[in-house]
Amino acid sequence: MPVLMRARRRDEEHRAATPLELFFDLCFVVAIAQAGRQLAHALAEGHPGHGISGYLMLFFAIWWAWMNFSWFASAYDTDDALYRVVTLVQMAGVLVLAAGVPRAFAHSDFTVIWFGYLVMRLAMVTQWLRAALGNRGAERRTALRYALGVTVCQIGWLGLLVLPEHDIPWVFVVVGLLELAVPALAERERQTAWHPRHIAERYGLFTIIVLGETIAAATLAVQSALDRNDALGTLLPIAGGGLLLVFAAYWIYFAVPIHLHLRSNRQAFLWGYGHYLVFGSAAAVGAGIEISVEESFGRAHLSAFAAAACVTVPAALFMLTVWLIHSRHQKRGMAQQLVLPVSALLVLACTFAEDGAVLATGLVASATVATGVGLTSRQGTALVE
């Protein structure tokens, strides 16, 4: 007999990600890898409009599916048999979605992706209805609003299957905005009991997964190029610069204890929604490094400047977005506040280095970390004195 699904306490001590949540996150590695691979292929073939728009749409689908589960689990994870089974069903839907990414990119055929989303959404609605069954009053109404909102949005995504191809971007815009509105509408009367430290940990773990996929994509690109060309001198600056960039991205993101900032839905929703750009740009860096490798051997249908921009633009966007929604809340003084915005501009300037852009970007990112550490250390010393 399943237990009633009651909200967990927001002040619960030692609230940490569960093995099931980590398993859930790992399923998204497949979907992120597929989206990054398709982006790299489209850009390398000289189709930036198709590649970027397709990537933004598909990454939204991946990110939002992860968001739906993560915030629900932070408030209502009962970890009983029924909860685990329903979560495993959601994971199956994620894998179906991942399988449909190449077809959606190549032929604008979203049938498989929609079916994967349907599996995930049916499971998510089941979870919310179970939460409604186990609670009363405003909390019950919040759960029912979520169940209704998720259902309406899933019906809205049918537009991807029945409308002409040229209307697909508009379907994503309209239904995507509706998706973003569901939490605000559902929680207008009562806020769900998400746990600030748990949510911060979940986002941090997903950031690690995205950065890990970036490293994997770049490594495979370098390995493939070595197998075909044995040109270590050409690849070392790209590999070294890419590694420095990813290491710096990790350091920059985890430099502040962000859970102290997440005190209300208004703060948490802006922070959580902003991670669409954080995750998407981090994953796009891997695709950019792959394109740089291809361009260095003349196998990409774009210029050296454009190939460099495939790395520098997402890297700069990552830095700027992390500062805007994440780290600036813990920075003190003008010098600390300016580090990431100035570094983002310097990274964009690295585009003009063309073939040397990846290494230059990695060096700028490393200098950013060193500067930030130095300023923080100096500030700490001043406070002690």
Side-chain angles (χ1 to χ4, degrees), residues 8 15 21 69-76 193-195 198-199:
R8 301 179 69 147
R15 179 78 165 97
E21 287 176 316
F69 170 78
S70 297
W71 287 82
F72 175 87
S74 188
Y76 290 106
W194 49 268
H195 193 288
H198 175 251
I199 281 293

Side-chain angles (χ1 to χ4, degrees), residues 25-337:
D25 289 356
L26 284 176
C27 290
F28 282 85
V29 172
V30 181
I32 293 171
Q34 289 281 17
R37 190 175 300 119
Q38 297 302 319
L39 172 64
H41 178 74
L43 293 177
E45 291 297 318
H47 306 298
H50 172 72
I52 294 172
S53 62
Y55 178 77
L56 291 175
M57 290 189 292
L58 291 172
F59 201 90
F60 177 88
I62 295 167
W63 163 75
W64 190 248
W66 179 85
M67 283 266 295
N68 280 185
F69 170 78
S70 297
W71 287 82
F72 175 87
S74 188
Y76 290 106
D77 184 358
T78 55
D79 200 33
D80 59 350
L82 180 57
Y83 178 85
R84 291 187 179 190
V85 169
V86 176
T87 301
L88 292 173
V89 171
Q90 287 180 270
M91 290 161 59
V94 174
L95 297 177
V96 173
L97 181 153
V101 168
R103 180 175 295 187
F105 244 102
H107 308 293
S108 296
D109 182 354
F110 290 88
T111 305
V112 176
I113 285 182
W114 186 89
F115 181 73
Y117 237 62
L118 177 64
V119 173
M120 288 187 288
R121 267 10 203 340
L122 288 175
M124 196 73 258
V125 169
T126 299
Q127 298 278 41
W128 279 116
L129 290 176
R130 187 182 172 197
L133 185 64
N135 295 279
R136 298 179 181 178
E139 189 169 0
R140 175 186 174 88
R141 290 191 292 274
T142 295
L144 289 174
R145 289 192 193 103
Y146 264 112
L148 176 62
V150 170
T151 301
V152 170
C153 288
Q154 183 59 31
I155 295 172
W157 289 122
L158 278 171
L160 296 174
L161 307 184
V162 300
L163 293 178
E165 183 177 337
H166 60 79
D167 289 331
I168 285 177
W170 290 109
V171 173
F172 263 94
V173 170
V174 173
V175 184
L177 289 175
L178 184 60
E179 291 272 15
L180 295 175
V182 168
L185 294 174
E187 300 196 24
R188 69 180 187 274
E189 185 179 1
R190 181 186 176 91
Q191 179 176 298
T192 54
W194 49 268
H195 193 288
R197 189 180 293 272
H198 175 251
I199 281 293
E201 181 188 17
R202 296 287 290 114
Y203 273 75
L205 292 170
F206 200 70
T207 300
I208 291 174
I209 283 178
V210 174
L211 292 176
E213 174 52 38
T214 296
I215 290 176
T219 301
L220 287 174
V222 171
Q223 176 189 339
S224 176
L226 274 175
D227 290 342
R228 288 178 293 184
N229 301 278
D230 195 25
L232 192 59
T234 302
L235 293 172
L236 270 180
I238 299 175
L243 197 60
L244 287 175
L245 177 56
V246 175
F247 285 174
Y250 164 84
W251 196 299
I252 289 167
Y253 185 89
F254 289 98
V256 297
I258 195 61
H259 68 275
L260 299 174
H261 172 69
L262 307 180
R263 295 186 296 268
S264 69
N265 270 7
R266 180 179 179 181
Q267 294 164 324
F269 283 178
L270 289 173
W271 175 83
Y273 286 178
H275 272 73
Y276 167 63
L277 295 178
V278 174
F279 295 151
S281 59
V285 166
I289 294 173
E290 183 176 347
I291 292 166
S292 293
V293 171
E294 294 295 304
E295 190 279 330
S296 66
F297 294 102
R299 288 193 296 270
H301 299 148
L302 71 174
S303 66
F305 181 86
C310 291
V311 175
T312 59
V313 171
L317 181 60
F318 176 86
M319 288 182 175
L320 190 60
T321 308
V322 168
W323 170 77
L324 185 63
I325 69 167
H326 188 75
S327 62
R328 70 182 176 89
H329 305 293
Q330 304 296 325
K331 300 295 183 182
R332 288 174 289 184
M334 184 62 70
Q336 286 192 14
Q337 289 288 2

